């Protein structure tokens, strides 16, 4: 039995995403930044999407603006079994990616209230993940399905202190939906697809964000943005199909269940420099406080021990990026960028349920000015992750050795309208 959701939550669950920033973090909040690998996002005032990466930049717009974006993610997360300590062949996966393709939408609106104050509203996502294995996969106790979908609704206000400094504050409402499903795998023989654990639930939480923009002059700007961590408790139902007689067996019965998760804090420092009338240079460093994500434990009332547990022990991570743009003519601006994304997962805690590795981004894009009021952004990124070997143990002490590689292709389009 699955946790009952509202109609809105059910529709949003269809947009489950495979994360292609560190761990299950998403960088894809807009398409204008996608073209330069999201370099300079806390300092570049491209459009209304500044609500997500630094709302202090709203002071750069003297008109109301609407931005609507959609990004398509095509993952290529390969996994090859290399060894086991149980005599089984670990290489039972086909050549398809264990992460499904997805569309990531986002929408923003900004408006100046007067010469000093601007207001902004955004709906986007900072975190998302989906991995799915065949139900009869031999290592089902560490595979199965893992999914988290988050929707961030952000309201921000910016105040321009003087010609150089602007401050902004925002309040975030985060809706999150998560599912963890594991199967019995090889220990059940012909019944490998038997559900050994199924927890599904949702929660809402609140956070805050702070933005600062400093203009050295009309061509050079620095920006800083901080987004707080958010504590969530996923309340839903827990069940399994294990027959009576097995430890913890429910034989299909559902019980109330919960799982606690902390979405990490994010801080970004950026610079943007208009070198000439045609050329612009942008750069960013993003810190994510992944050390708050140490373990996953699911509990049901009346049972002292967790019914599902996994040690994660993530470390804080850094993402660096550099990009540029070129004003080709009045209608077209071209963009390109590079980025390095550091994984927060240590070698001893690598997992096939949350596959992760250091990644390099190669990005390009363009802005097409349709008329004085409207424009379209197009962007694409090729993301390459390094190959790595690791061993993961299940709850029975069986060890499974893998070689993994996480690549992806991103494509996006965005429409902007000023009025």
């Amino acid at each position: 039995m699955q946790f009952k959701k509202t109609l809105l939550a059910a529709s949003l669950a269809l947009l489950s995403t495979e994360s292609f920033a560190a761990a299950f973090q998403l960088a894809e909040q807009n398409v204008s930044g996608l073209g330069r690998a999201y370099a300079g996002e806390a300092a570049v005032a491209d459009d209304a999407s500044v609500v997500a990466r630094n709302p202090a930049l709203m002071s750069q717009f003297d008109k109301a603006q609407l931005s609507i974006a959609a990004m398509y993610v095509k993952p290529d997360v390969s996994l090859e079994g290399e060894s086991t300590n149980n005599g089984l062949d670990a290489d039972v996966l086909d050549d398809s990616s264990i992460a499904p393709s997805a569309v990531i939408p986002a929408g923003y609106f900004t408006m100046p209230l007067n010469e000093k104050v601007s207001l902004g509203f955004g709906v986007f996502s900072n975190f998302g993940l989906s991995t799915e294995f065949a139900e009869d996969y031999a290592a089902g106790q560490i595979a199965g399905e893992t999914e988290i979908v988050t929707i961030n609704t952000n309201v921000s206000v910016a105040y321009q202190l003087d010609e150089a400094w602007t401050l902004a504050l925002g309040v975030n409402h985060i809706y999150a939906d998560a599912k963890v499903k594991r199967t019995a795998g090889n220990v059940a023989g012909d019944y490998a697809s038997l559900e050994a654990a199924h927890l599904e639930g949702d929660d809402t939480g609140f956070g805050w964000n702070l933005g600062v923009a400093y203009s050295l002059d009309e061509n050079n700007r620095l920006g800083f943005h901080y987004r707080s961590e958010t504590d969530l408790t996923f309340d839903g139902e827990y069940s399994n199909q294990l027959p009576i007689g097995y430890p913890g067996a429910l034989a299909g019965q559902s019980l109330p269940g919960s799982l606690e998760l902390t979405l990490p804090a994010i801080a970004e420092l950026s610079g943007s420099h208009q070198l000439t009338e045609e050329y612009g240079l942008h750069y960013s460093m993003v810190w994510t406080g992944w050390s708050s994500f140490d373990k996953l434990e699911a509990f049901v009332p009346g049972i002292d021990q967790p019914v599902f547990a996994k040690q994660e022990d993530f470390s804080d991570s850094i993402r660096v990026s550099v990009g540029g743009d070129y004003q080709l003519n009045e209608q077209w601006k071209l963009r390109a960028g590079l980025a390095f994304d550091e994984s927060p997962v240590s070698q001893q805690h690598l997992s096939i349920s949350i596959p992760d590795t250091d990644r390099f981004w190669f990005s390009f894009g363009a802005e097409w000015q349709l008329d004085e009021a409207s424009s379209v952004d197009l962007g694409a990124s090729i993301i390459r992750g390094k190959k790595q070997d690791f061993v993961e143990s299940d709850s029975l002490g069986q060890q499974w050795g893998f070689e993994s590689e996480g690549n992806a292709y991103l494509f996006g389009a965005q429409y902007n309208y000023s009025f």
Side-chain angles (χ1 to χ4, degrees):
M1 181 180 299
Q2 296 183 343
F3 187 77
K4 297 179 181 179
K5 310 184 185 91
T6 64
L7 179 61
L8 173 64
S11 64
L12 292 174
L14 298 176
L15 301 175
S16 61
T17 56
E18 163 59 22
S19 165
F20 273 94
F24 55 92
Q25 184 178 1
L26 295 174
E28 300 87 353
Q29 281 86 45
N30 59 48
V31 179
S32 50
L34 176 63
R36 56 174 182 269
Y38 295 105
E41 284 294 277
V44 181
D46 280 324
D47 47 61
S49 66
V50 297
V51 173
R53 301 296 284 260
N54 187 358
L57 298 170
M58 294 189 298
S59 64
Q60 300 299 314
F61 306 119
D62 56 8
K63 295 181 180 179
Q65 185 169 109
L66 175 70
S67 295
I68 303 295
M71 289 139 286
Y72 174 73
V73 183
K74 174 64 175 176
D76 181 16
V77 183
S78 63
L79 190 72
E80 295 182 5
E82 293 190 315
S83 64
T84 65
N85 67 348
N86 53 28
L88 296 176
D89 181 6
D91 192 13
V92 295
L93 300 179
D94 57 28
D95 294 331
S96 61
S97 173
I98 62 173
S101 300
V103 174
I104 307 174
Y108 307 93
F109 175 74
T110 63
M111 62 179 296
L113 298 181
N114 54 47
E115 293 183 354
K116 292 287 188 180
V117 181
S118 298
L119 182 66
F121 175 81
V123 180
F124 53 94
S125 180
N126 285 314
F127 300 95
L129 170 75
S130 179
T131 55
E132 184 175 353
F133 293 80
E135 291 187 351
D136 59 351
Y137 179 44
Q141 294 191 35
I142 58 174
E145 295 181 38
T146 305
E147 181 180 286
I148 179 170
V149 179
T150 67
I151 307 297
N152 188 327
T153 304
N154 194 170
V155 178
S156 297
V157 60
Y159 181 75
Q160 188 168 357
L161 299 174
D162 53 36
E163 292 184 358
W165 290 94
T166 302
L167 300 178
L169 288 173
V171 177
N172 301 268
H173 174 271
I174 295 94
Y175 169 82
D177 180 274
K179 177 170 69 174
V180 175
K181 177 183 175 182
R182 298 293 181 263
T183 58
N186 68 292
V187 299
D190 294 336
Y191 299 95
S193 61
L194 201 69
E195 285 188 3
H198 187 156
L199 178 70
E200 188 166 354
D202 62 357
D203 191 25
T204 59
F206 288 90
W208 57 272
N209 60 301
L210 167 70
V212 180
Y214 175 66
S215 296
L216 288 77
D217 54 44
E218 62 181 7
N219 294 318
N220 299 277
R221 186 185 304 116
L222 301 176
F224 173 78
H225 185 232
Y226 178 84
R227 190 172 294 280
S228 70
E229 66 180 31
T230 305
D231 294 323
L232 298 169
T233 299
F234 294 95
D235 292 319
E237 292 185 352
Y238 170 78
S239 66
N240 63 50
Q241 297 175 342
L242 299 176
I244 300 301
Y246 281 81
L250 295 177
Q253 177 187 1
S254 294
L255 298 174
S258 65
L259 183 148
E260 294 183 355
L261 176 67
T262 297
L263 299 179
I266 306 170
E268 180 169 5
L269 180 64
S270 301
S272 175
H273 307 280
Q274 194 64 38
L275 304 179
T276 67
E277 290 185 2
E278 294 84 13
Y279 292 96
L281 174 67
H282 319 285
Y283 49 87
S284 283
M285 177 179 292
V286 180
W287 167 90
T288 305
W290 279 114
S291 56
S292 63
F293 185 57
D294 57 349
K295 60 185 175 181
L296 287 175
E297 290 184 335
F299 291 89
V300 299
I303 301 179
D304 294 332
Q305 298 297 319
V307 294
F308 172 83
K310 183 167 177 49
Q311 197 69 29
E312 301 291 353
D313 285 334
F314 279 20
S315 300
D316 297 345
S317 66
I318 296 292
R319 183 184 194 273
V320 293
S321 56
V322 61
D325 47 49
Y326 173 67
Q327 192 72 48
L328 181 63
N329 52 43
E330 291 185 359
Q331 283 189 305
W332 288 95
K333 177 186 285 187
L334 308 181
R335 300 181 175 114
L338 301 171
F340 172 73
D341 229 335
E342 180 187 29
S343 171
V345 185
S346 63
Q347 183 69 29
Q348 61 267 34
H349 289 102
L350 288 171
S351 170
I352 62 175
S353 60
I354 307 180
D356 200 43
T357 181
D358 294 340
R359 299 184 179 98
F360 289 93
W361 290 57
F362 306 92
S363 303
F364 54 93
E367 178 185 342
W368 178 23
Q369 193 71 38
L370 301 176
D371 52 44
E372 291 185 0
S374 58
S375 64
V376 172
D377 292 296
L378 303 172
S381 289
I382 300 171
I383 303 175
R384 308 296 295 179
K386 69 178 183 181
K387 288 185 178 181
Q388 50 191 5
D389 300 303
F390 64 96
V391 175
E392 186 172 4
S393 300
D394 60 26
S395 59
L396 299 178
Q398 299 180 113
Q399 294 183 339
W400 306 83
F402 301 99
E403 179 187 81
S404 69
E405 183 177 12
N407 304 317
Y409 306 92
L410 277 63
F411 308 94
Q414 178 176 315
Y415 177 73
N416 311 295
Y417 182 73
S418 300
F419 51 95

